[in-house]
Amino acid sequence: MRVLITGGAGFVGSHVADVLTERGHEVRLLDALVDTAHGGDEPPVWVRGYDTVLGDVRSAEVLDSVLSDVDVVCHQAAVVGHGLDPSDAPRYTGHNDHGTAVLLAAMYRAGVRRLVLASSMVVYGEGRYTCPEHGPTPPGPRDAAAVAAGRFEPPCPRCGADLAPVLVPEDSVLDPRSVYAASKVAQEHLASAWARQTGGDVWALRYHNVYGPRMPRDTPYAGVASLFRSWLERGEAPVVLEDGAQRRDFVHVRDVALANALAVERPTAGLTPVNVCSGEPHTVGELAAELTRVMGGPAPRIAGGARPGDVRHVVADPVRAKELLGFAAAVSFSSGVAAFATDPLRSSAGLG
């Protein structure tokens, strides 16, 4: 099939291009080389052999020129990460939501009815929890005073006991707690409405914490693995917020790329959300400690506190991805982190 990959020169998009090509598909890349992910005006070396168009996904003219012979769109283009503060809202909504709306309109004009959308685990907010006494219980907003006092686990609103995290399936309530998260929820809603109106189909791949070669570095929009590695390369201890016990699912970018390829090859009906995860949850502290061990750096520094919008635990349920896409992650945490210590990263021109 012929696949357009928006954000195709980026971290995830470039790996999607590699895997799709390995599986016999033809790819075309579209990328605006935004400064929060790229350090220059030229595509990075790892995509220079591909049909690459430099252009903005928010431009209808550009999209009309690249969609005429396309079967499927893999929509990776987005501003990602926690960002700085609410002043980032126009950047997130402009690139992520307006860009998606312009893309969907162009796909309609071109008669392209299949979309693989890069969504995110951030749509779940605080994930899913249970109380020892009251069973499944949604946590309320994190209390700033409790976090400042070192009480990080969300309490049961009825009895005050610490809630325990459980696996988050795709039918969980969407509860975005940052501007970035809100933009990803909006992308899913826009794509779902488009699918209903056009009879198209959408896989919404909810990536969990992606890491691996070609990550951006030295930018507040980078993932935590990249931030830890930058500290260690400077000979500094990686700084871990809260107590380091917050649980996440760290999934290697090659596995994420494979999930995209499987979604390209398998039509669905309407919009189908799927967790893309390793199924092997670890704490943020474990990530810092493992990377420190591999790189031989100073021990991580537990700093306490939390950024506004941070959530305590999000642990993914991998069952639907296996059942619907035949996807299971292949890269283990230990081998992936060991390789990440020396993986090539990319510089960004964004704030350091």
Side-chain angles (χ1 to χ4, degrees):
M1 282 185 284
R2 292 179 295 277
V3 184
L4 174 68
I5 307 172
T6 70
F11 169 41
V12 175
S14 63
H15 286 280
V16 173
D18 290 347
V19 172
L20 284 172
T21 301
E22 291 164 8
R23 295 170 73 92
H25 300 286
E26 299 176 29
V27 301
R28 175 177 298 143
L29 315 186
L30 173 67
D31 206 296
L33 301 181
V34 297
D35 58 2
T36 54
H38 298 274
D41 298 326
E42 294 293 326
V45 64
W46 41 76
V47 299
R48 289 181 187 168
Y50 292 118
D51 173 12
T52 301
V53 177
L54 298 183
D56 198 314
V57 75
R58 296 169 294 180
S59 167
E61 182 179 4
V62 168
L63 290 171
D64 288 342
S65 72
V66 297
L67 279 169
S68 61
D69 57 349
V70 165
D71 300 307
V72 186
V73 174
C74 262
H75 185 30
Q76 310 294 322
V79 175
V80 302
H82 194 88
L84 296 172
D85 54 47
S87 67
D88 275 328
R91 176 186 285 267
Y92 280 115
T93 56
H95 283 273
N96 299 0
D97 301 333
H98 179 62
T100 298
V102 176
L103 172 65
L104 293 170
M107 289 175 64
Y108 173 69
R109 289 192 299 273
V112 181
R113 296 293 183 264
R114 297 199 52 221
L115 176 68
V116 179
L117 172 67
S119 188
S120 172
M121 42 92 53
V122 297
V123 301
Y124 297 125
E126 271 289 352
R128 186 172 280 196
Y129 291 80
T130 187
C131 171
E133 181 177 351
H134 297 107
T137 302
R142 299 189 81 179
D143 181 72
V147 169
R151 299 191 301 275
F152 301 113
E153 300 298 339
C156 174
R158 297 171 65 185
C159 68
D162 286 350
L163 296 176
V166 296
L167 296 181
V168 182
E170 289 83 354
D171 62 358
S172 296
V173 173
L174 304 187
D175 185 21
R177 302 203 175 189
S178 68
V179 170
Y180 171 56
S183 78
K184 300 308 284 186
V185 171
Q187 282 187 308
E188 289 199 17
H189 288 327
L190 287 166
S192 179
W194 170 86
R196 289 189 183 95
Q197 290 178 298
T198 65
D201 68 78
V202 183
W203 289 102
L205 303 184
R206 292 175 179 168
Y207 303 163
H208 285 253
N209 288 69
V210 188
Y211 73 100
R214 309 175 191 169
M215 280 188 86
R217 59 178 300 152
D218 303 323
T219 164
Y221 302 92
V224 66
S226 176
L227 299 176
F228 287 164
R229 179 171 145 177
S230 291
W231 269 309
L232 288 164
E233 288 179 335
R234 295 193 298 265
E236 301 172 12
V239 178
V240 180
L241 297 181
E242 304 186 28
D243 57 357
Q246 55 271 45
R247 300 179 75 207
R248 298 289 190 270
D249 189 304
F250 299 99
V251 58
H252 196 270
V253 68
R254 284 285 295 185
D255 285 326
V256 173
L258 174 61
N260 274 271
L262 293 170
V264 163
E265 295 165 356
R266 189 168 302 190
T268 186
L271 182 139
T272 305
V274 173
N275 287 328
V276 177
C277 60
S278 71
E280 184 185 353
H282 291 272
T283 68
V284 173
E286 285 178 292
L287 173 65
E290 183 66 12
L291 198 55
T292 296
R293 183 189 67 79
V294 173
M295 296 181 67
R301 178 169 68 86
I302 304 299
R307 299 175 301 181
D310 271 349
V311 299
R312 179 60 174 171
H313 304 291
V314 184
V315 181
D317 187 336
V319 170
R320 181 183 287 188
K322 180 66 174 177
E323 291 178 344
L324 299 187
L325 287 176
F327 169 76
V331 181
S332 70
F333 179 78
S334 58
S335 63
V337 173
F340 183 69
T342 56
D343 279 336
L345 303 186
R346 69 177 71 205
S347 298
S348 79
L351 295 173

